[in-house]
Amino acid sequence: MKRIIASLAVCAAASAITATSAFAADQITGAGATFPYPVYSKWAQSYNKETGVQLNYQAIGSGGGIKQIKANTVDFGASDKPLTPKELSKAGLMQFPTVMGGIVPILNVKGIKPGELVLDGKTIANIYLGKIKHWNNKEIQALNPGVKLPDSRISVVHRADGSGTTFNFTYYLADVSPAWKKDVGVDASVQWPVGTGGKGNQGVSNYVSQLKNSIGYVEYAYALQNKLTYARMKNKDGKVVSPAMENFQAAAAGADWKHAKGFYLILANQPGAKSWPMTAATFILLHKDVKDPKATKAVLKFFDWAYKNGDQAAAKLDYVPFPASVKTLIRDAWKKDLKADGHSVYMGS
Amino acid sequence: MTLVNNRTKAHDETAGEFQRPPRFLNGEAFNKTFKWLSIGAALFVLMILGGFFVSLTIGAWPALKQFGFGFIWSSDWNPVTEKFGALPAIAGTLITSGIAILLAVPLAFAIAVYITQLAPKWLRHPLGIAIELLAAIPSIIYGMWGLFFFAPMFADYVQGPIINLFENVPVLSTIFEGPAIGIGMATAGIVLAVMILPFIASVMRDVIDTVPKRLKESGFAIGATDWEVTKAIIIPHCRTGLAGSIFLGLGRALGETMAVTFIIGNANRITASIFAPGNTIASTIANEFQEAYTEIHSSSLIALGLLLFIITFIVLAIARMMLNRIST
């Protein structure tokens, strides 16, 4: 009996210690988009080393991020699908962008090397509409004279979960293809006419690397990390561009964040000879009426740190960091929008 | 050894005088408490069951109100226009479970007959244990095995040849149509079959074991073969139990989530081809529940859950009815 009591006491003491240490070590919890997950986890790692603060980010998809922050179960939500100013004010949220990145078409066709195949928006739309069924279709062949394409069926892979990557992808397809706009539309999840659904950017990468003759779309970092075959694309100016940092940057250069209300801005199909057509920003969502100032302060501190020290890490993963002018706009918005009992939560860096 | 010792000891004690158990375990008061405790436990289960139904209905109400009965036979699942219908998920659930039962039942029956009738004595026990261990494998493991090992092999060695073989045959070309990607409803059905096989087989084994020895021996005595004894004695004698084991497997196949989500392809569409990707009720809920951020989307998912609840209920009710008819 004595031994049982002793061991119980030890257990209680141990749990008390872990409980207090969890409180002491300041945790930030966030959930949402899988698109920026590689760069957020990189930032979190360095931030933890410097400050001891831990970021617990769950990449559950943008739809999940929006849902979780609305339900107030996390300190911040993350989404690549920006909410419209109307949606924001209805939910009492504010949003700000963190980094930009590119969505790339990935494929798995025997004999085709990374960057060898060229696609344009209309062709991708027709593949995803089920109108183009075979790889050696005239439309694809016309874009790729000299490339030997097989006579095999295309396996289309899309996202199964609600996803900001899907939102930006379908936004672009609707922009270039009236048929897509009419039949499918734009959202974080849509009614796909054809294809197989993978969960998250990683799920789509897995399926494409496994299924022969497949095509999918993922954030560029996932294509790189999984060594997938990506395609080049013909942009709005009719120029063929590769998915690369400088081309994402070219697309982002024309963006007018200053006049974008609530930072609602979509970077798809931007003009410019070097612009990558499927460029997208990714966003963080916070409650305007701050209930837990300590938690929100910790979130702002983290992103403030990331804006100051995280550009290089982001660029290494081929995300495009924001220029200083946009970062100033974001910090101003923090000061203006985030209030606890009428006082600004953000006190400047 | 200890067991035997205890028994002889107990025997020795009772040999002298019958020992009454302590009074409080025997008293009238305890008997009453015991009775009410059992009634309470039984009612508690019923209450939980009712609670499930009520809370699912409340959660599903917005969707049911908006779509009415059309929810069941609409094949829309469109978050953009916020129109939701359950037909693709219901069809996927029934098709995959159907494939699973078709494949698993004959196999399970053969296994059970082999273990109980034909296998040499020394092999019966280890074989039985092996089957039971198969049932203990977590379903996520089946999912991973299905996705990484089975699906690619199935695509290369089964799907591809079948698609080519039936390319120009009417009807069959539609049933076996599409790119050979390895994941889809057929794959999900086959993996489900492997998953429910041990359940059905081990229940069937126990059921067949109940056939009285003298019945079987009389069969053999008049010169019946193994097959004739199986057909004329074993099957008629335990039809009830055999049907029960099949419905037990069906119940598991209907609700199986993780393994199916891995390999069914997650597409909310109805296609005539069993090689096409599809979705089951459980896999749709698993995929979308976390991300459904509009009320009508979550509510439609809960309505799907309610439907699964009802379908399983109907299956078990049919099973009961069938069992009752057989036994009378």
Side-chain angles (χ1 to χ4, degrees):
Chain A
M1 197 59 188
K2 235 181 210 164
R3 204 189 289 164
I4 294 175
I5 290 172
S7 62
L8 274 180
V10 169
C11 280
S15 59
I17 288 166
T18 45
T20 46
S21 64
F23 277 111
D26 268 316
Q27 264 208 7
I28 310 172
T29 57
T34 58
F35 175 101
Y37 175 65
V39 61
Y40 287 177
S41 59
K42 190 88 209 147
W43 284 346
Q45 218 181 350
S46 319
Y47 190 63
N48 186 25
K49 244 184 238 156
E50 269 183 41
T51 63
V53 177
Q54 231 175 26
L55 174 73
N56 174 11
Y57 182 75
Q58 292 167 32
I60 57 172
S62 297
I66 296 170
K67 199 177 169 183
Q68 296 301 330
I69 187 68
K70 277 187 180 168
N72 229 339
T73 53
V74 286
D75 298 335
F76 69 89
S79 168
D80 331 311
K81 176 199 171 177
L83 296 182
T84 60
K86 214 168 129 195
E87 286 173 310
L88 283 175
S89 69
K90 199 180 151 208
L93 296 171
M94 72 90 68
Q95 73 188 352
F96 59 89
T98 52
V99 285
M100 294 169 282
I103 299 165
V104 297
I106 49 172
L107 43 111
N108 176 359
V109 181
K110 216 176 169 184
I112 307 266
K113 289 187 284 293
E116 193 179 352
L117 199 75
V118 176
L119 294 170
D120 63 6
K122 214 157 176 196
T123 315
I124 296 180
N126 283 338
I127 292 173
Y128 273 82
L129 281 167
K131 287 181 184 163
I132 295 181
K133 287 198 168 75
H134 292 84
W135 277 109
N136 61 355
N137 182 286
K138 285 194 303 256
E139 260 183 77
I140 305 178
Q141 196 69 71
L143 287 163
N144 298 280
V147 177
K148 193 163 165 28
L149 291 158
D151 175 31
S152 15
R153 285 285 294 266
I154 303 176
S155 308
V156 172
V157 180
H158 54 72
R159 287 284 288 271
D161 48 344
S163 139
T165 311
T166 298
F167 171 79
N168 285 292
F169 181 68
T170 53
Y171 186 94
Y172 170 65
L173 294 187
D175 207 38
V176 292
S177 157
W180 185 272
K181 198 171 189 173
K182 188 172 139 278
D183 294 344
V184 184
V186 180
D187 206 344
S189 53
V190 297
Q191 188 162 17
W192 299 98
V194 289
T196 306
K199 211 164 161 56
N201 267 300
Q202 192 57 51
V204 172
S205 311
N206 284 347
Y207 272 159
V208 170
S209 58
Q210 204 188 335
L211 305 180
K212 283 175 192 153
N213 303 309
S214 58
I215 184 168
Y217 59 92
V218 289
E219 201 286 320
Y220 185 49
Y222 287 88
L224 282 185
Q225 278 169 8
N226 294 299
K227 300 194 175 59
L228 296 164
T229 305
Y230 56 84
R232 287 180 295 156
M233 286 192 69
K234 202 177 237 182
N235 66 13
K236 197 172 188 175
D237 287 15
K239 298 279 191 310
V240 173
V241 286
S242 294
M245 175 86 176
E246 45 174 6
N247 297 335
F248 305 153
Q249 224 153 11
D256 182 10
W257 289 99
K258 202 167 177 182
H259 295 101
K261 208 175 161 209
F263 293 112
Y264 182 83
L265 196 66
I266 293 154
L267 299 170
N269 210 18
Q270 294 282 328
K274 286 179 73 183
S275 293
W276 179 253
M278 297 196 289
T279 306
T282 182
F283 300 83
I284 297 295
L285 296 162
L286 292 170
H287 280 281
K288 272 182 159 178
D289 180 16
V290 178
K291 290 268 161 27
D292 182 356
K294 219 173 129 195
T296 305
K297 265 182 198 158
V299 172
L300 295 179
K301 230 170 148 183
F302 171 72
F303 285 108
D304 197 40
W305 175 91
Y307 286 140
K308 272 189 211 143
N309 309 300
D311 287 1
Q312 221 176 1
K316 231 182 217 162
L317 290 164
D318 287 273
Y319 290 91
V320 182
F322 279 100
S325 61
V326 178
K327 288 176 184 170
T328 312
L329 287 175
I330 294 166
R331 289 192 176 104
D332 288 347
W334 288 351
K335 232 177 266 175
K336 202 171 98 255
D337 289 344
L338 297 167
K339 301 242 162 100
D341 303 322
H343 298 289
S344 278
V345 172
Y346 179 68
M347 289 305 172
S349 48
Chain B
M1 214 32 209
T2 47
L3 218 148
V4 175
N5 275 342
N6 282 342
R7 201 180 292 162
T8 47
K9 205 171 148 200
H11 188 256
D12 287 345
E13 275 170 10
T14 47
E17 190 199 338
F18 176 70
Q19 294 232 322
R20 259 181 186 287
R23 181 131 188 86
F24 67 93
L25 279 180
N26 207 11
E28 184 60 20
F30 180 79
N31 199 27
K32 259 204 177 126
T33 325
F34 176 70
K35 187 179 154 198
W36 283 111
L37 267 175
S38 332
I39 292 177
L43 283 181
F44 185 60
V45 172
L46 281 183
M47 258 169 56
I48 289 181
L49 198 69
F52 271 137
F53 188 78
V54 170
S55 61
L56 280 174
T57 312
I58 292 173
W61 191 247
L64 296 179
K65 207 171 69 185
Q66 183 159 348
F67 305 120
F69 277 109
F71 183 73
I72 297 173
W73 52 77
S74 158
S75 57
D76 264 329
W77 189 268
N78 194 336
V80 182
T81 56
E82 301 203 330
K83 284 210 174 69
F84 297 100
L87 197 59
I90 295 177
T93 307
L94 296 181
I95 292 170
T96 49
S97 299
I99 294 173
I101 288 291
L102 275 181
L103 295 175
V105 167
L107 263 175
F109 184 68
I111 292 172
V113 168
Y114 179 72
I115 291 182
T116 52
Q117 312 299 319
L118 308 173
K121 273 246 158 59
W122 58 268
L123 192 59
R124 288 181 190 186
H125 194 59
L127 252 182
I129 288 183
I131 298 271
E132 266 156 29
L133 283 181
L134 208 59
I137 298 176
S139 70
I140 191 95
I141 308 287
Y142 280 102
M144 291 192 330
W145 171 78
L147 179 61
F148 293 115
F149 183 77
F150 180 70
M153 268 195 18
F154 186 63
D156 287 351
Y157 299 113
V158 181
Q159 273 189 330
I162 289 184
I163 291 169
N164 292 337
L165 184 66
F166 294 127
E167 204 169 13
N168 300 314
V169 185
V171 185
L172 287 180
S173 65
T174 352
I175 295 178
F176 302 109
E177 197 260 337
I181 54 177
I183 50 180
M185 287 195 285
T187 318
I190 294 169
V191 172
L192 274 179
V194 181
M195 290 179 72
I196 61 175
L197 183 66
F199 281 87
I200 303 180
S202 60
V203 176
M204 279 186 171
R205 184 198 57 184
D206 294 346
V207 166
I208 293 175
D209 262 341
T210 63
V211 178
K213 221 173 181 177
R214 61 191 152 79
L215 279 185
K216 285 185 285 182
E217 274 166 8
S218 347
F220 289 123
I222 58 168
T225 60
D226 286 325
W227 165 241
E228 283 162 346
V229 168
T230 307
K231 193 182 69 173
I233 295 173
I234 293 176
I235 293 182
H237 186 267
C238 43
R239 270 184 303 202
T240 317
L242 294 177
S245 69
I246 294 171
F247 279 95
L248 190 78
L250 182 60
R252 178 153 195 220
L254 284 173
E256 176 48 45
T257 310
M258 256 1 263
V260 171
T261 309
F262 265 53
I263 46 179
I264 195 161
N266 308 316
N268 289 309
R269 271 190 309 277
I270 299 184
T271 34
S273 167
I274 61 165
F275 287 163
N279 231 343
T280 67
I281 294 178
S283 71
T284 307
I285 297 174
N287 264 319
E288 298 184 15
F289 200 69
Q290 211 172 19
E291 288 93 11
Y293 56 93
T294 57
E295 195 205 353
I296 194 74
H297 194 175
S298 339
S299 170
S300 301
L301 289 169
I302 297 173
L304 274 186
L306 180 66
L307 276 177
L308 183 60
F309 190 78
I310 294 172
I311 290 177
T312 326
F313 223 90
I314 292 175
V315 165
L316 289 176
I318 293 174
R320 272 282 91 173
M321 269 161 50
M322 274 178 59
L323 295 180
N324 286 345
R325 202 190 310 155
I326 290 166
S327 54
T328 47

